[in-house]
Amino acid sequence: MASETRRDFPRHSLRCYWPPCFTERRPFDRKSENQTYLDYIQAEQYLGEEITDDEEDDEDDDEYDDKDEDEAEVESEDKDGASSEDEVDEQSKSTDASNQMSDVRRFMKGMERDEDFLEDYDMVDEVANFCEKGKSHGPVPVLGKHVALLDERNIFGTIVDKKGHCRTNSEPLTWELLREKLKKQRLRVESDSTNAFADEESDAERRILFIPNLDSFTIQVIIETASRNQASPLRYLFYKYLKRKTSIGVTIPSIGFPVFTLDFHIPYWVMTRRKSPIIDRRMKSDGSPLRQSRKLDFLSGSKDPTTTAKHYWLHEAQISIVVTGVNHWVWTAYGFVDTYFGSKGTVEDYDNLKGQHGEREDPLTAGRRNGAEPIWMPREYFLTVIELRTQKVLKEWNQIVTVVTETVEGSRDEYLAYSSSKIEDQKLIERRNSQLLALSTQLIGGLSETTQAWQGFWDTEADYFRCNGGAPTASPSPEALLITIHKKFSTLKLRLQKLEELKKELCDRREGLNSHMSLDGRAGARKLENLTVLAMIFSPVLITATLFSAQGVLPFASSPKNFICILMVVVCIMVAMHQVLYQESYGSQPGVNTLKSAINDSNELLDGKGAPKSWDLEKAPEKAPEKVQK
């Protein structure tokens, strides 16, 4: 068999390879994982101010080099004192300014000019306004309510035990306990004393954080405890989750310390059937719910829906998964999902899935993996989470497409009997067809973005999971997981095609209904025309008879001869009025053309060009020859 070359397969030249630096325990600043990003920003700002003050001192000292030594010493002492006072004042002003700006806004803005390199203009305001106004307009946090599940462990370089060395227990956390856990130092540093960590705690190299229905309070907790390397991935994670963005990809910065970020953001809809609506208590900055729910009473099959009947509801939902780290040992996985509409997958649901030995199922994998047997490789873990979460999305789309298909197919008989239906039924058919068309258009737009995002990932960035620095991975599991996920998205494409077929049928129905309404309008116009002709025939007789029936109105005596004369006069008047109205309706354009021609002729006469010429609206007027100047 001939060997394959890159020339034979041009796509191989564009293949993405997993950097080898992530596959080894390379040295990095472990203190950076223990320092929060907010503390890092504050320290860098103070450091920049100190450097600026020193430069100003050097410039001012140079200005006094030409003066006497005594004067220079005195002025130098005065200047140093003033400089120290200015430094204190500047730091106090900086502290006041930072206190005025919320921690969320400082986190989203980052260092100087970081905001200029964000992908969207509204990233800072979207997240900051949600958190700032969520405290005043959003739901009050319930003390003792479980909001998160945290799993922290490490393998110390070799897998001695399947479950590794666990740092945290498997109990669900309130937002107060979550802040307490995340504020602890994550990694041991060589300069730390031996009692830096409690004996029962270990390094939290592998960290899994699951939060359903992310709100402003949990975002605040994460921001207060996030390290510098996690700041950039978290900015996009918060923004894409709140805005229901679609994104599947791998990010490895080309500048600075290499950190990988694997992200999976999929918006979708969940269809339920209930009597009363479910409202998301989380509020946007404008006071509206973060996730919208729409009532689909036209899918219930009832022509006269009542308040006591169950109706279909369409709820907005989002799944956001991000895995970021510095290598295959030190990484963090965040999982934010929506369950406000009453579905399973809450903190309590996963807490109830504990095994006999108190081992909880992994919540990011939808409870399908044993948390005591973790997946240590970040890429394999990421694909496993995607596979199981995509199954949930596929299930919801299957239900939606099935219900819409049944509704469209069930309304075909009503459409065929449209012409013989009552007026009320015809209006109901037209309204239902318009509502189904609008719903299918919305669903097609959302599902199309999802399938396109995966196709873009599959064509390029999927190679990050197939190769390690140009060599195939030792374990075939990433490739097998990719194929499994690709099959699920291929099924989603089939559901998209089905929705497009239904939309085409609904569009054809709309054209048919419009044609039927047009025919009805023409028939009505003919009836009106016939009635007009009859009125024109008999109205002169009625008018003449009315005149003759009135005593003392006519100056002459009533006689058949006078009746016929008056009748002829009335007929002539009505014919003249008809001609005038006809000319106004159908003869307006010739009148406009005649008026334009008269204006043109008068202009030519005023210019002294002699006899007027005919004006052609289709052609521009001919230019007069230019006079030759002597």
Side-chain angles (χ1 to χ4, degrees):
M1 180 181 296
S3 60
E4 298 177 349
T5 62
R6 291 184 180 268
R7 183 175 299 176
D8 299 330
F9 297 91
R11 180 177 175 273
H12 287 183
S13 61
L14 302 176
R15 173 170 291 184
C16 304
Y17 296 103
W18 190 249
C21 61
F22 295 141
T23 62
E24 57 186 14
R25 278 188 175 271
R26 57 186 175 131
F28 67 95
D29 186 8
R30 298 173 68 89
K31 292 182 179 179
S32 63
E33 289 295 328
N34 298 331
Q35 183 187 26
T36 65
Y37 183 64
L38 294 178
D39 293 341
Y40 169 75
I41 293 177
Q42 188 174 9
E44 289 295 320
Q45 289 176 347
Y46 285 159
L47 180 60
E49 291 172 0
E50 292 176 358
I51 294 176
T52 303
D53 292 338
D54 293 341
E55 292 176 353
E56 293 178 354
D57 292 344
D58 295 339
E59 293 177 359
D60 293 339
D61 289 341
D62 294 337
E63 294 179 358
Y64 294 97
D65 288 342
D66 297 334
K67 296 184 178 181
D68 297 333
E69 294 181 358
D70 296 338
E71 294 180 356
E73 291 178 358
V74 173
E75 292 176 356
S76 177
E77 291 177 357
D78 296 337
K79 182 179 175 302
D80 290 338
S83 175
S84 60
E85 293 178 358
D86 293 340
E87 181 178 357
V88 174
D89 293 338
E90 289 295 330
Q91 289 186 358
S92 61
K93 292 180 181 179
S94 177
T95 303
D96 295 337
S98 63
N99 291 334
Q100 294 177 359
M101 184 184 299
S102 66
D103 290 340
V104 178
R105 194 171 293 274
R106 290 173 54 211
F107 183 88
M108 294 299 297
K109 282 180 172 292
M111 299 295 294
E112 186 177 359
R113 294 192 63 190
D114 283 356
E115 186 178 0
D116 298 338
F117 297 93
L118 298 177
E119 291 183 0
D120 296 277
Y121 283 101
D122 62 337
M123 279 186 62
V124 176
D125 291 335
E126 184 69 25
V127 179
N129 291 340
F130 174 76
C131 295
E132 293 168 357
K133 297 185 178 181
K135 293 182 178 180
S136 57
H137 301 287
V140 179
V142 180
L143 296 178
K145 180 183 178 181
H146 297 148
V147 299
L149 291 172
L150 180 65
D151 183 86
E152 296 175 316
R153 61 186 72 210
N154 64 74
I155 55 176
F156 285 127
T158 58
I159 302 179
V160 180
D161 189 1
K162 287 185 178 181
K163 65 180 181 180
H165 302 272
C166 300
R167 176 175 179 177
T168 59
N169 54 30
S170 59
E171 296 298 327
L173 303 175
T174 62
W175 66 276
E176 298 93 341
L177 291 177
L178 178 63
R179 176 188 283 112
E180 180 182 342
K181 293 287 186 181
L182 296 180
K183 274 191 173 182
K184 294 182 178 180
Q185 290 190 3
R186 182 175 181 179
L187 302 177
R188 189 185 299 272
V189 181
E190 293 182 358
S191 59
D192 287 347
S193 59
T194 56
N195 58 354
F197 294 93
D199 296 337
E200 65 274 8
E201 290 183 335
S202 303
D203 287 354
E205 292 187 336
R206 177 188 181 272
R207 172 179 286 174
I208 308 296
L209 180 58
F210 171 77
I211 300 177
N213 304 320
L214 182 73
D215 57 15
S216 58
F217 297 97
T218 48
I219 290 179
Q220 183 77 26
V221 171
I222 296 175
I223 285 177
E224 291 176 357
T225 58
S227 65
R228 187 200 321 172
N229 293 331
Q230 300 175 27
S232 179
L234 284 174
R235 290 194 193 103
Y236 290 96
L237 173 58
F238 294 144
Y239 177 73
K240 292 179 180 180
Y241 173 79
L242 295 178
K243 293 284 288 186
R244 294 186 73 239
K245 294 287 187 177
T246 306
S247 175
I248 307 175
V250 179
T251 302
I252 300 176
S254 58
I255 300 176
F257 184 74
V259 177
F260 63 85
T261 301
L262 320 175
D263 66 288
F264 178 80
H265 305 270
I266 295 296
Y268 64 105
W269 285 276
V270 175
M271 181 174 288
T272 61
R273 193 166 189 179
R274 59 181 63 251
K275 296 180 181 179
S276 58
I278 296 180
I279 301 177
D280 188 6
R281 301 301 178 184
R282 301 169 295 174
M283 296 297 173
K284 297 181 180 179
S285 58
D286 58 358
S288 61
L290 179 63
R291 302 287 186 250
Q292 301 293 327
S293 297
R294 177 185 175 188
K295 183 180 180 180
L296 307 177
D297 52 357
F298 55 90
L299 296 180
S300 62
S302 175
K303 295 183 179 180
D304 186 19
T306 61
T307 56
T308 58
K310 286 186 177 182
H311 303 286
Y312 284 106
W313 293 82
L314 196 65
H315 310 281
E316 293 181 344
Q318 174 81 4
I319 293 177
S320 293
I321 306 295
V322 166
V323 177
T324 179
V326 298
N327 53 38
H328 286 183
W329 290 266
V330 181
W331 51 275
T332 305
Y334 296 94
F336 304 152
V337 299
D338 288 332
T339 61
Y340 69 94
F341 39 81
S343 69
K344 296 181 179 179
T346 62
V347 173
E348 288 75 13
D349 292 335
Y350 291 118
D351 187 53
N352 295 332
L353 293 178
K354 290 182 179 179
Q356 297 179 354
H357 303 286
E359 300 167 349
R360 187 187 59 236
E361 304 297 329
D362 188 343
L364 265 66
T365 61
R368 301 298 301 274
R369 294 277 308 188
N370 186 358
E373 297 180 1
I375 300 175
W376 295 103
M377 296 294 103
R379 289 181 297 169
E380 183 179 349
Y381 181 79
F382 177 73
L383 293 179
T384 303
V385 173
I386 288 183
E387 178 199 358
L388 298 173
R389 287 294 172 179
T390 304
Q391 182 63 37
K392 168 67 175 176
V393 175
L394 178 59
K395 181 179 180 181
E396 298 298 337
W397 275 111
N398 286 338
Q399 182 185 10
I400 293 174
V401 175
T402 300
V403 173
V404 175
T405 302
E406 292 176 352
T407 304
V408 174
E409 293 177 350
S411 61
R412 288 173 182 171
D413 295 337
E414 296 180 353
Y415 171 71
L416 296 176
Y418 175 83
S419 58
S420 60
S421 302
K422 298 179 181 180
I423 298 179
E424 294 78 5
D425 294 339
Q426 290 181 354
K427 293 181 178 180
L428 179 62
I429 293 173
E430 295 171 5
R431 184 171 65 253
R432 180 174 296 179
N433 188 83
S434 300
Q435 291 172 331
L436 284 171
L437 184 58
L439 175 62
S440 61
T441 302
Q442 179 185 12
L443 296 176
I444 289 173
L447 187 54
S448 177
E449 288 185 2
T450 299
T451 55
Q452 290 177 5
W454 172 257
Q455 189 61 45
F457 173 82
W458 176 261
D459 293 339
T460 56
E461 294 172 298
D463 290 335
Y464 280 116
F465 300 85
R466 297 189 180 104
C467 302
N468 276 332
T473 56
S475 175
S477 59
E479 183 73 21
L481 289 171
L482 281 174
I483 295 175
T484 303
I485 299 171
H486 188 65
K487 289 181 179 179
K488 298 182 187 300
F489 277 93
S490 299
T491 306
L492 286 176
K493 286 185 178 180
L494 297 178
R495 302 297 175 266
L496 176 61
Q497 295 176 4
K498 182 61 179 179
L499 288 175
E500 291 175 346
E501 294 174 359
L502 295 176
K503 180 181 178 180
K504 184 178 183 303
E505 180 180 350
L506 294 171
C507 290
D508 294 340
R509 286 189 190 181
R510 183 180 59 182
E511 296 296 331
L513 294 175
N514 293 337
S515 300
H516 189 276
M517 294 174 61
S518 178
L519 293 175
D520 290 344
R522 293 179 182 178
R526 291 195 195 97
K527 293 179 181 179
L528 182 60
E529 183 179 355
N530 295 333
L531 292 175
T532 303
V533 173
L534 293 175
M536 292 181 64
I537 294 174
F538 291 101
S539 58
V541 178
L542 294 175
I543 294 173
T544 305
T546 303
L547 292 174
F548 272 82
S549 63
Q551 297 295 332
V553 175
L554 299 177
F556 45 81
S558 299
S559 64
K561 182 180 179 180
N562 293 335
F563 183 86
I564 293 174
C565 292
I566 296 299
L567 179 62
M568 295 301 295
V569 172
V570 173
V571 170
C572 291
I573 294 174
M574 294 191 67
V575 170
M577 293 177 62
H578 179 268
Q579 290 296 328
V580 172
L581 295 175
Y582 178 82
Q583 289 294 335
E584 290 181 357
S585 302
Y586 299 98
S588 59
Q589 186 60 38
V592 173
N593 295 340
T594 303
L595 180 61
K596 288 184 177 180
S597 177
I599 294 173
N600 179 66
D601 294 342
S602 63
N603 291 334
E604 290 183 351
L605 289 174
L606 292 175
D607 294 339
K609 297 181 180 179
K613 299 180 181 179
S614 62
W615 179 269
D616 190 356
L617 291 177
E618 301 296 333
K619 299 180 180 179
E622 297 180 358
K623 295 182 179 180
E626 298 180 356
K627 295 181 180 181
V628 180
Q629 298 180 356
K630 294 182 180 181

